[in-house]
């Protein structure tokens, strides 16, 4: 055995692991739903996605960039089918390349004509404008640089316009970031990219004309002026989505008389609610742009046909339910449309979903219409209502996962609570989802076997959010269950206690439940944990919450309720701020966020606390002090993971490789799996940034080959099994590494850099 293999064996078998650099890569364990295989089950959820085309890997096929405004998360999907086939592979290796400050709305458009998609989106400064990031690709790696425009807010696009007094003023291009999505396309056919959006008053479509082509400035310049301030001569009603045609009685006017032009302070029109989406394409094949509108006050999309031309738009036809295939889109509230090529046939298709973060539907909510004609004259036919979600797990919103071996087969299973499915604007369905581990101890695989575990849908008529936790509360050696329903108490929800009567090392068995358990009621949206925090042999209850005020006006978001009963008869004082309880177990200075979702892991020598938050980062705490009843901060942003908002963590060594895996719930209704650098002993084995080889290995798991995404100069790539046996070696960096004649299992990939540094990454092979 070589020296390196000896070191590897010691690292893995003795779990010393300091020499090994464990990455925080996303792990897509095999997933199925009622024995139907899913391509990317642990995707993390899609609630309010926005779609753009991009060729990530330069193979000429149209891939998809998806941005979910519910959590502000970027997703990458590689098209893996042939022409006319809808087939995608989740490609997280590209997601880290997108700017972390993207939020609310994001569209990819090649504005400078270099063949590389650029980003248009809401400004990082959180104003109602438009920011731009120029895209570039070097050696296959994407990057985006924000463009500055030299005005009061330099990261925001501006336009020049004439005021009523004859002056010229400069103002922001306006897009209401929280409610609207604009059209960013060449509206007037002159070759440069324009913007069509509702103006700040909200009744008229405002055409921001790009003057780059007109002034021979080059497509890389973004110089805007005022086009039609009432594009198409239509007006949207102030309180409804109704459209008024011929808003200006004079067809020769470039501006609407009802709009009354602009005064020196801005638009005069102030009526109408906000909340509109705009999509522009040539829907009737006559060479000019037509428009599809969505509105917060309607469930469907409205098509406005342009009977004018590229110079002067005039809407002469309205289709109130669009596309016409099967009665049009029905998203119940705030629908949006996206014109993208889904099946890689060169003809753009039509995708619709709601952009309402809270009230939009989240089951059968992404409608894909196939373009059965041409790109110049599209005909849309409804293909499916669960685009991408047909290959992933969708559990509603606000997922809360936990681990348990429910059937006592030695394999750890997953139970997930959530806020349930919003089926229509007034109806919903809730339930606990049980995923059975149908794999092996080293190769986990999960099957959704019950989407209403313990029949919670019949227990709760007005439930909003379920959060489960397992632990032995009555001292009989088996795992009891607590489920929080938004908040405890008879008016706002409940805290349910299910006693497990199955016995130690037996399948769980619950015979009824206790509601309003011990009258414990510290706050809203409770996330429970069962743990012996004071080490007295009795398991206690810890509840994370969403709250803005705690004891004495201070904010503490993790409450500790000490078990003051006996080994067989638990008892709790429901007052969270009365001793021996504590209304917070993390320092007050750390509560800069409005929620904390706790999960405990008992290592050999330390108790670790992992917390999620509304902001999205995962924090790690340790060194619990029995006197102060406070944890110490260990890691403020675990792995710098970008999961999205409202994260809820759970940790376990699910594949028995010596490292903890991290399962994360979120606001989008999915769950993500990640590797971590924490060993089962609780030791953080991450390597300092100056010595680690930074790389991403993908896909992971793989079916037989992998690629490496890195800026490093690599001299050698070596594959070992989990015991340190050499399996395969590559002496130079390639784009494709094939694992020949190697069986399924967990492996280690050692990357040697040319400067002598090296790091080791875990890779899962499933054949």
């Amino acid at each position: 055995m070589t020296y390196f293999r000896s070191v590897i064996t010691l690292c893995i078998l003795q779990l010393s692991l300091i020499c090994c650099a464990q990455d925080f890569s996303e792990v897509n364990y095999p997933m199925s739903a009622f024995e139907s295989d899913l391509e990317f089950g642990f995707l993390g959820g899609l609630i309010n996605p926005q779609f753009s085309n991009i060729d990530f890997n330069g193979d000429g096929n149209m891939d998809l960039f998806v941005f979910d405004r519910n959590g502000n998360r970027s997703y990458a999907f590689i098209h893996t089918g042939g022409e006319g086939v809808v087939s995608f592979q989740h490609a997280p290796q590209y997601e880290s390349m997108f700017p972390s400050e993207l939020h609310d709305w994001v569209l990819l458009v090649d504005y400078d004509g270099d063949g590389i998609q650029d980003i248009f989106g809401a400004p990082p400064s959180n104003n109602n404008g438009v920011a731009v990031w120029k895209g570039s690709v070097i050696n296959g790696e994407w990057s985006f640089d924000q463009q500055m425009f030299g005005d009061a807010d330099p990261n925001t696009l501006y336009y020049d316009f004439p005021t009523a007094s004859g002056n010229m003023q400069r103002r922001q291009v306006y897009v209401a970031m929280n409610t609207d999505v604009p059209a960013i396309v060449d509206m007037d056919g002159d070759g440069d990219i324009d913007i069509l959006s509702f103006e700040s008053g909200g009744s008229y479509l405002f055409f921001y004309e790009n003057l780059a082509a007109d002034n021979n400035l080059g497509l890389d310049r973004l110089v805007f002026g005022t086009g039609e301030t009432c594009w198409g001569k239509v007006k949207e009603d102030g309180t409804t989505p109704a459209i008024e045609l011929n808003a200006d009685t004079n067809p020769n006017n470039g501006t609407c008389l009802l709009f009354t032009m602009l005064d020196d302070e801005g638009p005069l029109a102030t009526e109408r609610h906000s909340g509109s989406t705009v999509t522009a394409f040539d829907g009737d094949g006559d060479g000019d742009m037509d428009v599809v509108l969505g509105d917060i006050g309607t469930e469907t999309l409205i098509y406005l046909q342009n009977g004018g031309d590229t110079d002067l738009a005039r809407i002469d036809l309205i289709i109130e339910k669009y596309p016409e295939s099967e009665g049009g889109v029905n998203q119940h509230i705030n629908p949006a449309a996206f014109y993208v090529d889904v099946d890689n046939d060169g003809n753009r298709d039509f995708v619709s979903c709601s952009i309402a973060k809270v009230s939009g539907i989240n089951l059968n909510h992404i409608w894909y219409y196939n373009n059965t004609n041409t790109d110049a004259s599209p005909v849309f036919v409804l293909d499916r209502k669960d685009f991408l979600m047909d290959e992933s797990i969708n559990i509603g919103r606000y997922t809360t996962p936990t681990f348990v071996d429910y059937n006592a087969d030695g394999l750890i299973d997953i139970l997930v609570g959530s806020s349930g499915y919003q089926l229509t604007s007034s109806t919903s369905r809730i339930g606990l989802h049980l995923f059975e581990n149908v794999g092996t101890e080293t190769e986990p695989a999960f099957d959704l076997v019950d989407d209403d575990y313990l029949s919670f849908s019949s227990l709760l008529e007005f439930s909003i959010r379920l959060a489960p936790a397992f632990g032995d509360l009555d001292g009989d050696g088996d795992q009891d269950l607590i489920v929080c329903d938004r908040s405890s108490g008879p008016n706002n929800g409940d805290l349910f206690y299910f006693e497990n009567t199955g016995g130690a090392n037996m399948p769980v068995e619950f015979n009824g439940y206790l509601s309003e358990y011990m009258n414990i009621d510290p706050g809203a949206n409770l996330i429970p944990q069962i743990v012996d925090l004071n080490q007295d042999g009795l398991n206690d209850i810890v509840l994370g919450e969403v709250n803005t005020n705690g004891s004495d006006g201070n904010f503490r978001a993790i409450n500790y309720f000490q078990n003051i009963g006996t080994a067989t008869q638990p008892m709790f004082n429901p007052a969270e701020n009365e001793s021996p309880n504590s209304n917070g177990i993390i320092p007050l200075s750390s509560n800069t966020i409005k929620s904390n979702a706790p999960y405990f892991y008992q290592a050999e020598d330390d108790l670790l606390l992992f917390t999620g938050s509304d902001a999205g980062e995962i924090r790690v705490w340790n060194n619990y002090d029995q006197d102060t009843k406070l944890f110490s901060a260990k890691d403020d942003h675990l792995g710098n993971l970008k999961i999205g908002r409202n994260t809820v963590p759970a940790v376990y060594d699910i594949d028995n490789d010596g490292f903890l895996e991290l399962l994360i719930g979120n606001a989008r209704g999915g769950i993500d799996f990640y590797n971590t650098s924490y060993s089962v002993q609780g030791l953080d084995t991450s390597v300092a940034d100056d010595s680690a080889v930074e790389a991403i290995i993908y896909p992971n798991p793989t079916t037989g080959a992998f690629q490496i995404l890195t800026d490093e100069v690599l001299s050698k790539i070596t594959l070992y099994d989990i015991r340190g046996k050499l399996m395969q070696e590559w002496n130079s960096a390639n784009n494709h590494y094939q694992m020949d004649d190697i069986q399924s299992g967990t492996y280690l990939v050692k990357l040697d850099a040319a400067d002598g540094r090296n790091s080791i990454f875990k890779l899962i092979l499933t054949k």
Side-chain angles (χ1 to χ4, degrees):
M1 179 177 288
T2 66
Y3 170 75
F4 176 72
R5 286 175 58 190
S6 299
V7 172
I8 281 285
T9 302
L10 288 174
C11 286
I12 298 302
L13 297 183
Q14 299 180 16
L15 304 174
S16 203
L17 301 179
I18 296 176
C19 59
C20 303
Q22 178 73 357
D23 66 345
F24 286 88
S25 60
E26 194 166 358
V27 185
N28 187 31
Y29 291 117
M31 167 73 83
S32 57
F34 303 106
E35 299 184 352
S36 177
D37 292 340
L38 303 174
E39 182 66 29
F40 30 82
F42 291 99
L43 179 65
L46 290 173
I47 293 291
N48 306 120
Q50 302 163 37
F51 298 86
S52 298
N53 277 133
I54 185 173
D55 183 3
F56 280 114
N57 52 7
D59 64 356
N61 295 327
M62 279 294 97
D63 307 316
L64 280 180
F65 170 74
V66 182
F67 182 79
D68 198 317
R69 70 196 308 262
N70 198 321
N72 297 324
R73 178 164 177 182
S74 299
Y75 288 95
F77 295 92
I78 299 294
H79 191 276
T80 57
E83 182 177 319
V85 177
V86 180
S87 179
F88 291 94
Q89 180 183 75
H90 182 213
Q93 66 270 19
Y94 294 104
E95 294 167 0
S96 62
M97 302 175 186
F98 286 88
S100 60
E101 62 265 31
L102 298 180
H103 67 97
D104 284 294
W105 68 269
V106 177
L107 297 171
L108 303 189
V109 180
D110 177 15
Y111 77 87
D112 54 1
D114 63 355
I116 299 172
Q117 298 292 75
D118 310 299
I119 298 175
F120 288 73
S125 53
N126 290 323
N127 64 49
N128 294 318
V130 178
V132 180
W133 291 259
K134 178 176 169 53
S136 61
V137 183
I138 300 176
N139 296 325
E141 183 173 348
W142 285 79
S143 63
F144 297 93
D145 296 319
Q146 188 175 358
Q147 303 301 289
M148 296 297 162
F149 302 101
D151 289 286
D153 186 351
N155 63 13
T156 303
L157 283 175
Y158 284 75
Y159 70 101
D160 294 317
F161 71 93
T163 68
S165 60
N167 298 318
M168 294 295 293
Q169 286 200 6
R170 179 158 288 187
R171 293 189 180 276
Q172 279 185 183
V173 175
Y174 183 87
V175 177
M177 66 176 183
N178 292 319
T179 57
D180 291 10
V181 177
I184 301 179
V185 66
D186 183 5
M187 292 296 299
D188 53 8
D190 64 355
D192 54 27
I193 296 299
D194 309 300
I195 299 176
L196 188 66
S197 178
F198 276 96
E199 37 70 40
S200 58
S203 291
Y204 301 94
L205 281 166
F206 200 110
F207 172 38
Y208 300 96
E209 182 181 4
N210 189 348
L211 303 176
D214 301 78
N215 297 326
N216 297 315
L217 299 175
L219 296 181
D220 60 336
R221 295 287 301 278
L222 291 169
V223 181
F224 287 89
T226 305
E228 290 190 83
T229 58
C230 178
W231 186 89
K233 296 297 177 122
V234 294
K235 177 187 177 184
E236 191 172 52
D237 185 73
T239 57
T240 74
I243 299 295
E244 176 187 342
L245 286 179
N246 301 316
D248 186 351
T249 56
N250 183 353
N252 295 317
N253 285 337
T255 59
C256 289
L257 295 180
L258 289 176
F259 190 70
T260 326
M261 295 186 65
L262 298 162
D263 69 4
D264 288 344
E265 299 301 322
L268 295 179
T270 57
E271 58 188 283
R272 189 184 160 271
H273 55 282
S274 61
S276 293
T277 62
V278 186
T279 305
F281 57 92
D282 185 3
D284 56 2
D286 65 352
D288 56 36
M289 286 293 169
D290 309 296
V291 165
V292 172
L293 300 181
D295 188 89
I296 197 171
T298 186
E299 63 191 19
T300 190
L301 295 165
I302 299 174
Y303 173 77
L304 306 180
Q305 181 175 286
N306 184 1
D309 52 35
T310 56
D311 295 325
L312 200 60
R314 291 294 178 266
I315 302 303
D316 61 359
L317 174 66
I318 297 177
I319 299 176
E320 294 185 350
K321 294 184 177 182
Y322 190 81
E324 294 179 278
S325 172
E326 299 191 33
V329 163
N330 187 339
Q331 297 288 353
H332 297 284
I333 186 172
N334 219 169
F338 303 94
Y339 192 46
V340 290
D341 187 358
V342 171
D343 58 1
N344 194 42
D345 64 354
N347 301 314
R348 283 170 289 182
D349 308 296
F350 192 93
V351 180
S352 173
C353 65
S354 170
I355 63 167
K357 292 182 182 179
V358 177
S359 54
I361 61 172
N362 54 20
L363 182 65
N364 293 328
H365 61 293
I366 307 177
W367 292 29
Y368 159 54
Y369 292 80
N370 181 32
N371 183 356
T372 61
N373 202 34
T374 66
D375 197 70
S377 186
V379 175
F380 302 122
V381 176
L382 182 62
D383 183 278
R384 67 194 70 175
K385 298 181 180 180
D386 57 353
F387 176 54
L388 293 181
M389 301 313 298
D390 55 351
E391 293 292 348
S392 184
I393 284 296
N394 170 31
I395 313 176
R397 285 185 177 88
Y398 300 107
T399 43
T400 299
T402 192
F403 292 107
V404 64
D405 183 4
Y406 90 101
N407 55 0
D409 65 352
L411 304 177
I412 299 300
D413 312 299
I414 299 170
L415 184 66
V416 184
S418 75
S419 63
Y421 300 112
Q422 190 70 36
L423 304 178
T424 69
S425 57
S426 59
T427 60
S428 60
R429 187 179 81 222
I430 198 165
L432 293 172
H433 286 63
L434 177 63
F435 297 86
E436 182 180 340
N437 189 343
V438 294
T440 67
E441 290 185 353
T442 58
E443 298 178 38
F446 298 91
D447 182 35
L448 175 61
V449 295
D450 194 341
D451 59 3
D452 190 14
Y453 184 60
L454 299 179
S455 301
F456 256 88
S457 63
S458 63
L459 295 177
L460 304 170
E461 182 179 358
F462 302 107
S463 179
I464 295 179
R465 183 174 181 177
L466 299 180
F470 287 93
D472 185 8
L473 274 178
D474 55 5
D476 61 356
D478 56 25
Q479 298 290 295
D480 306 306
L481 172 66
I482 281 182
V483 180
C484 292
D485 169 27
R486 190 180 187 187
S487 65
S488 59
N491 296 322
N492 298 315
D494 223 325
L495 194 154
F496 294 86
Y497 168 59
F498 291 79
E499 181 185 353
N500 183 2
T501 59
N505 303 315
M506 298 295 291
V508 297
E509 184 176 337
F510 301 115
N511 296 318
Y513 60 91
L514 295 175
S515 61
E516 301 176 32
Y517 183 64
M518 299 285 180
N519 294 314
I520 298 174
D521 185 11
N525 293 310
L526 302 177
I527 309 295
Q529 283 284 278
I530 299 173
V531 60
D532 183 7
L533 199 55
N534 64 338
Q535 300 295 304
D536 65 350
L538 305 178
N539 272 332
D540 312 303
I541 293 178
V542 171
L543 295 174
E545 63 171 302
V546 174
N547 208 338
T548 56
N549 291 289
S551 176
D552 301 323
N554 294 320
F555 172 49
R556 291 195 173 190
I558 304 182
N559 304 279
Y560 163 53
F561 295 87
Q562 182 175 315
N563 188 345
I564 55 177
T566 67
T568 58
Q569 293 291 329
M571 182 63 63
F572 299 91
N573 176 1
E576 69 267 21
N577 57 355
E578 291 184 7
S579 182
N581 297 339
S582 170
N583 70 328
I585 59 174
I586 58 176
L588 285 173
S589 59
S590 300
N591 288 317
T592 58
I593 50 181
K594 71 175 184 178
S595 69
N596 280 290
Y599 200 92
F600 293 93
Y601 176 77
Q602 182 62 64
E604 288 187 7
D605 301 319
D606 198 4
L607 178 66
L608 298 180
L609 169 61
F610 294 78
T611 59
S613 69
D614 66 310
E617 71 271 12
I618 304 294
R619 296 180 176 183
V620 186
W621 312 79
N622 69 343
N623 296 329
Y624 181 70
D625 190 310
Q626 295 290 350
D627 295 324
T628 64
K629 297 183 180 179
L630 291 174
F631 279 89
S632 299
K634 182 175 177 62
D635 192 336
D636 280 340
H637 199 162
L638 181 64
N640 291 315
L641 299 176
K642 301 173 183 177
I643 298 106
R645 299 187 67 85
N646 298 103
T647 50
V648 182
V651 296
Y652 198 85
D653 182 11
I654 199 70
D655 54 8
N656 288 285
D657 67 344
F659 291 101
L660 298 179
E661 278 72 48
L662 175 66
L663 181 62
I664 309 173
N666 58 61
R668 297 183 308 280
I671 43 180
D672 295 88
F673 248 125
Y674 286 87
N675 291 311
T676 80
S677 62
Y678 282 83
S679 75
V680 295
Q681 289 182 325
L683 177 66
D684 184 359
T685 65
S686 58
V687 179
D689 291 341
D690 58 354
S691 60
V693 175
E694 296 185 0
I696 296 175
I697 296 179
Y698 67 96
N700 190 5
T702 178
T703 58
F706 65 92
Q707 299 182 59
I708 301 172
L709 183 65
T710 182
D711 288 332
E712 306 272 6
V713 178
L714 301 179
S715 60
K716 186 168 62 174
I717 296 91
T718 314
L719 182 72
Y720 298 88
D721 71 8
I722 199 67
R723 299 181 183 277
K725 178 183 177 182
L726 176 64
M727 303 300 296
Q728 202 163 340
E729 186 174 274
W730 300 267
N731 291 321
S732 61
N734 302 306
N735 292 324
H736 187 82
Y737 301 89
Q738 186 71 39
M739 292 180 285
D740 299 322
D741 302 322
I742 296 179
Q743 297 179 348
S744 297
T746 300
Y747 295 88
L748 300 173
V749 179
K750 179 173 179 273
L751 305 184
D752 285 285
D755 60 7
R757 294 175 299 120
N758 63 74
S759 291
I760 299 171
F761 300 85
K762 183 176 68 176
L763 179 66
I764 298 172
L765 175 63
T766 59
K767 289 188 175 181

